[in-house]
Amino acid sequence: MEEQGAVPLQGNAIQRANIKPYANEQRLFIIMALISGLCWLGLTIATLGIIWIIMLVLYLIGLFGFSYFISYVRGNGVRVTAEQFPDLHDRFVACCQITGVSKLPEFYLMTGNGALNAFATRFLRRYYVVLLSDIVDALQDDPEALNFYIGHELGHIAQKHLVHHWWLVFATWIPLLGTAYSRAREYSCDQYGLACSSNKQSAVHALAVLAAGSTRWKTLNTQAYIAQTKDTDGFWMAVNELTADYPWLCKRVARIEKGEETVFPRRNIFAWLISATIPNTGFGLIGAMVVYLYLLLILVPISISAYSTYQTKALNAKTRVELSQAYAAGHTAANLVGQFYAENEYAPADLEALGFKKPANGIVKDVELDSESVEVTVTLNAPHQDKKIILSPSANENGQISWSCLVAGKVNADALPDHCELIPDENDTEHTEDSTLLGKLFRKLK
């Protein structure tokens, strides 16, 4: 079904000129297509195809959003036809024939509020070319130069730039590659604009307006402007161009004037190295710096938090090992007390009588038996001097003794030894009362 508004050109009227796109564009496109294709394939496999559902949702959201812009153009711009601005319409039809665009895109003229430019876009498979009125007014003295703008935008359509851009997105972000492909596209479209221009000088005038403004372009010394390309090899000039989507205008003018024989100075090697670390955001070096700043504001707090978490885990692990060694010493003492009770049916007066010796590991400061509560308490050396491990006895109906481990002091739950619990409050009355009753039991048996 033919699209409404896409008017086909008649029969043999399409005679595409011998336009040679920029040589590097095709090579860069192949590289980007391979990278993006692999990324889409990987995402499809990793998400089991769900990525395409997400893309459909994003497409619908973008469709509604972009519809406003297209509606704005169609509602406020002036559609150029054979009846409306026929001179521009004739130029447009002629350029479509030259560039090989078989169906006329919708062509609009609208105010640019001072902007000197034109653009092409696509909505629901329909193409649009918009020429801003300011550029038309600026080129009153050379109306043939308007053909350059029309041809340049038609070049984006002929080269299918508006079709490929969405699925090349992954490769577009790659430093150097994405911007190189974008600049190559502009050089290619300049050749389409040159083919539509009546002469090379008009094409140069078209770019001169972008460089010198709507009036001063008339007295621009083209050769002097082209000579400025010799200064583009400097570090900052090179960095900003390598991270930009558009070549420097002086270079574009030079290529129009001198063609493929144009030779530009080699860019600074350090500029290449720096640019290789800067992703393509579509806003050049400034956009990349904003992204890096944004990431810095996010990643620095995350990194600090992650490092703090790592330190906490490492400290907890170290504390757990040391408290486990202290617990082992206390448990040994408690077992001796339990064995003594099992043999004698009363508690010992102290641990020395049982032959217990404090381990010489530098962690345990002392191990003591409380004769009242019959608790084994392990005190520790620095840096754990604020902590202590308490082993409290309990007896079942058969008189068998078991020991529970309680840790007093500031200890993270992850640092507690196995079989131990943290005392929420050292003045826990319930714990004290239970221990005292058990102590009375021991003394009664004694």
Side-chain angles (χ1 to χ4, degrees), residues 226 229-230 232 251 254-255 258-266:
I226 291 174
T229 60
K230 71 178 186 301
T232 60
K251 286 188 174 181
R255 285 191 61 82
K258 299 181 179 180
E260 295 181 356
E261 297 178 359
T262 307
V263 177
F264 298 128
R266 290 182 177 274

Short mmCIF file of all heavy atoms in Angstrom, two decimals, residues 226 229-230 232 251 254-255 258-266:
data_model
loop_
_atom_site.label_atom_id
_atom_site.label_comp_id
_atom_site.label_asym_id
_atom_site.label_seq_id
_atom_site.Cartn_x
_atom_site.Cartn_y
_atom_site.Cartn_z
N ILE A 226 39.69 27.73 4.13
CA ILE A 226 40.20 26.36 3.96
C ILE A 226 41.57 26.21 4.62
O ILE A 226 41.90 25.16 5.17
CB ILE A 226 40.26 26.01 2.46
CG1 ILE A 226 38.85 25.89 1.89
CG2 ILE A 226 41.03 24.71 2.25
CD1 ILE A 226 38.82 25.67 0.38
N THR A 229 42.27 24.69 8.11
CA THR A 229 42.33 23.25 8.40
C THR A 229 43.70 22.83 8.92
O THR A 229 43.82 21.80 9.59
CB THR A 229 41.99 22.42 7.15
OG1 THR A 229 42.93 22.73 6.09
CG2 THR A 229 40.59 22.74 6.65
N LYS A 230 44.72 23.62 8.61
CA LYS A 230 46.08 23.25 9.08
C LYS A 230 46.18 23.33 10.59
O LYS A 230 47.10 22.74 11.19
CB LYS A 230 47.12 24.16 8.44
CG LYS A 230 47.13 25.60 8.92
CD LYS A 230 48.23 26.40 8.26
CE LYS A 230 48.35 27.80 8.84
NZ LYS A 230 47.11 28.59 8.72
N THR A 232 43.85 22.20 12.65
CA THR A 232 42.97 21.21 13.28
C THR A 232 43.71 20.00 13.83
O THR A 232 43.09 19.07 14.33
CB THR A 232 41.90 20.73 12.27
OG1 THR A 232 42.55 20.13 11.13
CG2 THR A 232 41.03 21.88 11.81
N LYS A 251 36.80 22.00 7.19
CA LYS A 251 37.14 20.75 6.49
C LYS A 251 36.06 20.40 5.47
O LYS A 251 36.37 19.90 4.37
CB LYS A 251 37.30 19.61 7.50
CG LYS A 251 38.58 19.67 8.31
CD LYS A 251 38.75 18.42 9.13
CE LYS A 251 40.11 18.39 9.83
NZ LYS A 251 40.31 17.15 10.62
N ALA A 254 36.58 22.51 2.53
CA ALA A 254 37.76 22.06 1.80
C ALA A 254 37.44 20.85 0.92
O ALA A 254 37.90 20.76 -0.23
CB ALA A 254 38.88 21.74 2.78
N ARG A 255 36.65 19.94 1.43
CA ARG A 255 36.31 18.74 0.64
C ARG A 255 35.39 19.10 -0.53
O ARG A 255 35.47 18.48 -1.59
CB ARG A 255 35.66 17.69 1.52
CG ARG A 255 36.64 16.94 2.44
CD ARG A 255 35.98 15.73 3.07
NE ARG A 255 35.54 14.78 2.06
CZ ARG A 255 36.32 13.88 1.46
NH1 ARG A 255 37.62 13.81 1.78
NH2 ARG A 255 35.84 13.07 0.55
N LYS A 258 37.94 20.97 -3.01
CA LYS A 258 39.05 20.21 -3.59
C LYS A 258 38.74 18.74 -3.82
O LYS A 258 39.57 18.02 -4.40
CB LYS A 258 40.28 20.35 -2.69
CG LYS A 258 40.76 21.79 -2.53
CD LYS A 258 42.00 21.86 -1.66
CE LYS A 258 42.49 23.29 -1.51
NZ LYS A 258 43.70 23.40 -0.67
N GLY A 259 37.61 18.26 -3.34
CA GLY A 259 37.21 16.88 -3.58
C GLY A 259 38.04 15.87 -2.81
O GLY A 259 38.58 16.15 -1.73
N GLU A 260 38.18 14.67 -3.36
CA GLU A 260 38.86 13.57 -2.68
C GLU A 260 40.36 13.81 -2.55
O GLU A 260 41.04 13.09 -1.81
CB GLU A 260 38.61 12.26 -3.43
CG GLU A 260 37.15 11.82 -3.41
CD GLU A 260 36.94 10.50 -4.12
OE1 GLU A 260 37.93 9.97 -4.69
OE2 GLU A 260 35.80 10.00 -4.11
N GLU A 261 40.89 14.76 -3.28
CA GLU A 261 42.32 15.05 -3.19
C GLU A 261 42.67 15.84 -1.93
O GLU A 261 43.85 16.06 -1.64
CB GLU A 261 42.76 15.85 -4.42
CG GLU A 261 42.59 15.08 -5.73
CD GLU A 261 42.99 15.91 -6.93
OE1 GLU A 261 43.38 17.08 -6.73
OE2 GLU A 261 42.93 15.38 -8.05
N THR A 262 41.65 16.22 -1.18
CA THR A 262 41.90 17.01 0.03
C THR A 262 42.70 16.20 1.04
O THR A 262 42.39 15.04 1.32
CB THR A 262 40.56 17.43 0.68
OG1 THR A 262 39.76 18.07 -0.30
CG2 THR A 262 40.81 18.36 1.84
N VAL A 263 43.73 16.79 1.58
CA VAL A 263 44.57 16.15 2.61
C VAL A 263 44.55 17.02 3.85
O VAL A 263 44.89 18.21 3.79
CB VAL A 263 46.01 15.94 2.11
CG1 VAL A 263 46.86 15.33 3.22
CG2 VAL A 263 46.03 15.07 0.86
N PHE A 264 44.17 16.43 4.95
CA PHE A 264 44.14 17.16 6.22
C PHE A 264 45.33 16.74 7.08
O PHE A 264 45.83 15.62 6.96
CB PHE A 264 42.85 16.86 6.98
CG PHE A 264 41.61 17.29 6.24
CD1 PHE A 264 40.57 16.41 6.05
CD2 PHE A 264 41.50 18.57 5.75
CE1 PHE A 264 39.42 16.79 5.37
CE2 PHE A 264 40.36 18.98 5.06
CZ PHE A 264 39.32 18.08 4.87
N PRO A 265 45.79 17.61 7.95
CA PRO A 265 46.93 17.26 8.83
C PRO A 265 46.55 16.15 9.80
O PRO A 265 45.38 16.00 10.17
CB PRO A 265 47.21 18.57 9.58
CG PRO A 265 45.93 19.33 9.52
CD PRO A 265 45.30 18.98 8.21
N ARG A 266 47.54 15.33 10.15
CA ARG A 266 47.30 14.24 11.10
C ARG A 266 46.95 14.80 12.47
O ARG A 266 47.57 15.76 12.93
CB ARG A 266 48.53 13.33 11.21
CG ARG A 266 48.80 12.51 9.96
CD ARG A 266 50.00 11.61 10.15
NE ARG A 266 50.23 10.77 9.00
CZ ARG A 266 49.63 9.59 8.80
NH1 ARG A 266 48.77 9.12 9.70
NH2 ARG A 266 49.89 8.88 7.72
#
